[in-house]
Amino acid sequence: MLFVFLHHNAPAAAPNIHLYHLFTYLSMYENDNRVVITLDAGGTNLVFGAMRANKFIVDPITLPSRAQDLDKCLETMVEGFRQVIAKLDSKPVAISFAFPGPADYPNGVIGGYLPNFPSFRDGVALGPFLADTFGIPVFINNDGDLFAYGEALGGALPEINARLEAAGSSKRYHNLLGYTFGTGLGVGMVVNDNLNRGDNSCVETFCLRHKKQNHIYVEEGAAIRAIKRVYGELSGNPDHGFEPKDICEIADGKKEGNREAALKAFAEFGEIAGDAIATGVTLVDGLIVVGGGLTGARKYFMPSLLAELRGKLQSLKGEELNRVQMNVFDLDNEDEFATFAKGSERMIKVYGSERTVPYDPMKRVGITVSKLGASQAISIGAYAFALSQIDAKE
């Protein structure tokens, strides 16, 4: 589950909002009447729901996970889904949800290193078990994958493309990297409007090298625990007991504490996360959207994150080149978005004729903070993924 805290620093919605209302982007499923059962699987609680047309249609049902005991955990899942189904006015067509940790997602088998679900570590055929129990298809995915898919279908990707159209730009995007900032550093990848789950259900970013300490993995510097640890180191009080929400309030000057340490903790988070994102966007070449509770502190980490994306590298001969081979824009900054939308398009002649064609030499990508929120994006992703899989088989 994503750690959530205040979003009081989240950017305001873009202008001309009637053109691309943030929660009603053109999605192929926003008017679909089919019902899909969902689950927010956390180590403490399981939260069950149901969606129709990209919206929740029943009050959530919360039950304790009992994740230490496989029999009790599965019993709870069955009970939760049954309670949701009892509230519906039509039969659900599928169950679809995200599960934290490694898995063979196409086959619905959960296993491996699962700190929050230790009873699943030896491998549990969860998807087939639920499909047998309820007689409907079951789809399980990584939460980072579903976050990216939800943002591609009903969040950042259609929003930015609509804003580009409204600005008179011919530029459109079809690739997206979604990152979740919270307990861990999650990622999802959409390529040519399709979710890329990889051949092993193992599209990950947490295990990249930490920029400053290359013997450890990057998540140690780009997660909740990193902000708490760095604040403790810089303030000289490793047992401070503060959560990121508290450290953000210290940075705001609203709570007593070491403000300089708070500011530096968020700045280092941005730098380390930015280095990982730079690697990802160099390979994928698409828009970037970040979500999760930590985005409430975007004004404190985004400057260093952007500085990392816009940084420089050198060849052995001392030649300088950009860290990312595209210009990187903050799409929540209206001035930067205007430059992003405008580009540098011009007309050039076709050799040997008087005909001209448009040419825009400005390679560019942008980063934005999720307006849906990670939980909503994951839910939309789960709903759409289930229906797309069902439709593909018909």
Side-chain angles (χ1 to χ4, degrees):
M1 297 179 71
L2 293 170
F3 182 91
V4 178
F5 76 103
L6 69 166
H7 287 260
H8 66 285
N9 293 321
N16 298 321
I17 202 66
H18 61 283
L19 293 174
Y20 42 84
H21 194 279
L22 291 177
F23 294 98
T24 57
Y25 301 129
L26 292 178
S27 164
M28 67 185 80
Y29 299 116
E30 69 173 359
N31 296 312
D32 200 301
N33 286 323
R34 288 174 290 182
V35 175
V36 174
I37 306 297
T38 65
L39 167 65
D40 182 355
T44 302
N45 291 312
L46 301 176
V47 184
F48 303 85
M51 295 191 79
R52 176 190 286 132
N54 284 348
K55 297 177 181 178
F56 284 103
I57 58 172
V58 299
D59 292 331
I61 294 170
T62 302
L63 299 174
S65 301
R66 301 193 287 184
Q68 301 285 340
D69 186 312
L70 179 60
D71 292 336
K72 291 181 178 179
C73 185
L74 295 179
E75 179 183 293
T76 301
M77 287 188 182
V78 170
E79 175 61 23
F81 287 129
R82 282 181 175 158
Q83 287 188 32
V84 170
I85 291 171
K87 292 186 174 186
L88 301 176
D89 57 12
S90 61
K91 182 180 177 180
V93 298
I95 294 171
S96 184
F97 60 95
F99 205 87
D104 176 1
Y105 289 113
N107 292 312
V109 179
I110 308 298
Y113 178 63
L114 293 159
N116 292 330
F117 286 85
S119 61
F120 284 70
R121 289 179 183 176
D122 292 333
V124 177
L126 181 60
F129 165 73
L130 293 173
D132 289 349
T133 302
F134 294 99
I136 54 177
V138 176
F139 304 99
I140 308 174
N141 282 285
N142 176 271
D143 51 1
D145 287 344
L146 291 182
F147 170 72
Y149 196 47
E151 290 287 349
L153 288 180
L157 195 61
E159 177 206 351
I160 298 303
N161 282 333
R163 291 176 67 189
L164 288 169
E165 182 178 8
S169 171
S170 61
K171 186 76 171 175
R172 298 292 184 273
Y173 286 81
H174 303 279
N175 302 320
L176 178 138
L177 279 170
Y179 289 90
T180 53
F181 294 163
T183 305
L185 178 63
V187 70
M189 180 188 303
V190 173
V191 178
N192 290 327
D193 301 311
N194 294 306
L195 178 63
N196 174 30
R197 295 196 293 175
D199 290 326
N200 297 285
S201 302
C202 198
V203 176
E204 296 287 1
T205 198
F206 78 93
C207 50
L208 296 177
R209 288 183 184 274
H210 188 293
K211 176 191 174 184
K212 293 184 175 180
Q213 303 178 65
N214 61 18
H215 63 288
I216 64 175
Y217 55 93
V218 67
E219 190 175 271
E220 294 289 2
I224 286 170
R225 62 185 181 275
I227 292 171
K228 294 165 67 174
R229 187 193 69 250
V230 173
Y231 176 83
E233 292 171 352
L234 295 175
S235 66
N237 181 17
D239 301 319
H240 53 78
F242 292 134
E243 295 297 331
K245 176 182 181 294
D246 303 307
I247 298 171
C248 187
E249 291 180 349
I250 292 169
D252 287 338
K254 297 177 180 178
K255 191 180 188 75
E256 186 175 347
N258 188 319
R259 186 167 188 266
E260 183 178 359
L263 292 171
K264 287 183 177 179
F266 283 114
E268 177 156 322
F269 169 88
E271 180 183 356
I272 303 307
D275 181 64
I277 293 173
T279 297
V281 75
T282 296
L283 296 173
V284 175
D285 184 12
L287 294 179
I288 306 161
V289 58
V290 298
L294 291 177
T295 56
R298 77 172 302 276
K299 71 178 181 181
Y300 295 128
F301 69 72
M302 192 60 79
S304 58
L305 192 155
L306 284 166
E308 193 65 28
L309 290 172
R310 294 165 176 166
K312 302 290 184 180
L313 297 174
Q314 287 188 341
S315 71
L316 289 174
K317 296 180 180 179
E319 299 165 327
E320 190 174 73
L321 70 156
N322 293 331
R323 172 72 171 86
V324 173
Q325 292 300 294
M326 298 80 75
N327 292 332
V328 180
F329 292 89
D330 180 354
L331 302 181
D332 296 321
N333 178 301
E334 288 306 311
D335 291 335
E336 289 199 25
F337 181 83
T339 304
F340 170 81
K342 182 179 180 181
S344 57
E345 185 174 299
R346 65 179 188 270
M347 303 302 292
I348 61 172
K349 282 188 175 182
V350 177
Y351 182 77
S353 77
E354 293 302 313
R355 188 164 67 92
T356 60
V357 295
Y359 169 56
D360 188 344
M362 182 189 286
K363 302 181 191 306
R364 57 200 187 274
V365 295
I367 183 169
T368 183
V369 171
S370 171
K371 312 305 184 300
L372 295 173
S375 180
Q376 178 77 357
I378 290 169
S379 297
I380 289 174
Y383 179 75
F385 184 86
L387 296 187
S388 69
Q389 295 299 299
I390 291 171
D391 292 343
K393 293 179 180 179
E394 293 180 350

